[in-house]
Amino acid sequence: MKKLDGKVAIVSGSGRGIGREIALKLASEGARVVVNDLDADPANETVETIKAAGGEALACVGSVTDADFGNRFVSAAVEGFGGLDIIVNNAGYTWDNVIQKMSDEQWEAILQVHLTAPFRIVRAASEFIRTAAKKEAEAGQEVFRKVVNISSTSGVMGNAGQVNYSAAKAGINGFTKALAKEWGRYKVNVNSVAFALIKTRLTEAAADADASIDIEGKKIKVGVNPQVLKNAESLIPLGRAGTPEEAAGAVYLFCIPESNYISGQVLVCGGGRP
Ligand SMILES: NC(=O)c1ccc[n+]([C@@H]2O[C@H](COP(=O)([O-])OP(=O)(O)OC[C@H]3O[C@@H](n4cnc5c(N)ncnc54)[C@H](O)[C@@H]3O)[C@@H](O)[C@H]2O)c1
């Protein structure tokens, strides 16, 4: 018997990086997973990797910022796998600049992907979750469901060059705390995991290399200056950046029955950084 046997999970942005490892981890513990990404190829690759390991997964490709995406994502789980138990809001990217150079477009895009999209996904799930929870309560059962929102230490402490991202990641922590209070009655644990420095496409590429993310036809430069990266790593008590597998481990803790009495919390996964 695996920890997540019988559970259905949706994980946004799970074609790459941390989201991919979260999807693989949940599937390895028995969950059936709806994989999402903006890009079809990496989403399908995650699905095939899960299937090759004996798990069950399906892809729901598209941008979490599309107005109807929440409904599509939730329907993919309910129609494809017959339920919905775990929601992980992970999809996102950074689009940095100092405030005097930050455009309205930059500000709005980052709030959309990190805050508005999770709100719409969870709202789309509310009808299914409330109906299921009421039936379970009438039958005298306590069935716990999980929402895990991905935040950042930028949202907890702030980070220069990231007023948009820091505001969105602080916002998702407020969302987490409010929803934990609303949905306690439905036995839903709502928590955030705030990462510090995890080695993925967002942080790995050297800023002077020509690395960029293609977001809806727009090329957005990513990467961190190697000296900044080195300085950031030197502040981590465990002495290095985390791996996507280690990041997924923190999310997994909030998805298993052992965390059923933990809700409304922000867990920093930062190698000892506050
Ligand atoms: N890497 C870090 O150090 C770090 C630190 C703190 C927080 N985070 C957060 O972790 C999450 C995952 O980041 P990562 O480091 O794994 O980055 P990543 O670029 O490796 O993976 C993110 C995935 O999300 C997808 N995505 C982006 N926008 C999307 C959209 N609109 N709709 C659907 N999919 C979309 C991308 O295509 C990509 O596959 C993000 O929310 C990020 O802000 C990362």
Side-chain angles (χ1 to χ4, degrees), residues 107-170:
W107 171 262
E108 292 294 346
I110 291 301
L111 284 171
Q112 281 279 328
V113 74
H114 292 285
L115 190 54
T116 307
F119 154 68
R120 288 194 185 132
I121 290 167
V122 173
R123 185 178 59 181
S126 67
E127 192 181 330
F128 174 82
I129 287 180
R130 285 184 301 120
T131 306
K134 280 178 190 160
K135 273 195 200 137
E136 288 151 6
E138 278 162 19
Q141 298 169 329
E142 236 185 6
V143 176
F144 286 87
R145 290 185 172 78
K146 313 281 186 173
V147 175
V148 187
N149 294 315
I150 302 308
S151 184
S152 165
T153 48
S154 299
V156 178
M157 308 187 287
N159 194 24
Q162 293 191 321
V163 290
N164 54 356
Y165 184 70
S166 301
K169 290 303 200 186

Side-chain angles (χ1 to χ4, degrees), residues 12-20 22 36-39 42-43 60-66 69 89-94 113-114 117 150-154 165 169 193-204 213-216 222 242 244 269:
S12 70
S14 46
R16 293 187 188 83
I18 298 167
R20 178 179 187 274
I22 295 168
N36 153 262
D37 209 278
L38 196 54
D39 305 318
C60 177
V61 175
S63 176
V64 294
T65 61
D66 290 346
F69 178 77
N89 282 308
N90 165 82
Y93 59 96
T94 49
V113 74
H114 292 285
I150 302 308
S151 184
S152 165
T153 48
S154 299
Y165 184 70
K169 290 303 200 186
V193 178
F195 298 118
L197 186 60
I198 307 295
K199 283 219 167 166
T200 67
R201 179 177 70 153
L202 275 192
T203 52
E204 258 182 343
I213 304 182
D214 197 338
I215 301 287
E216 293 161 35
V222 289
C269 174

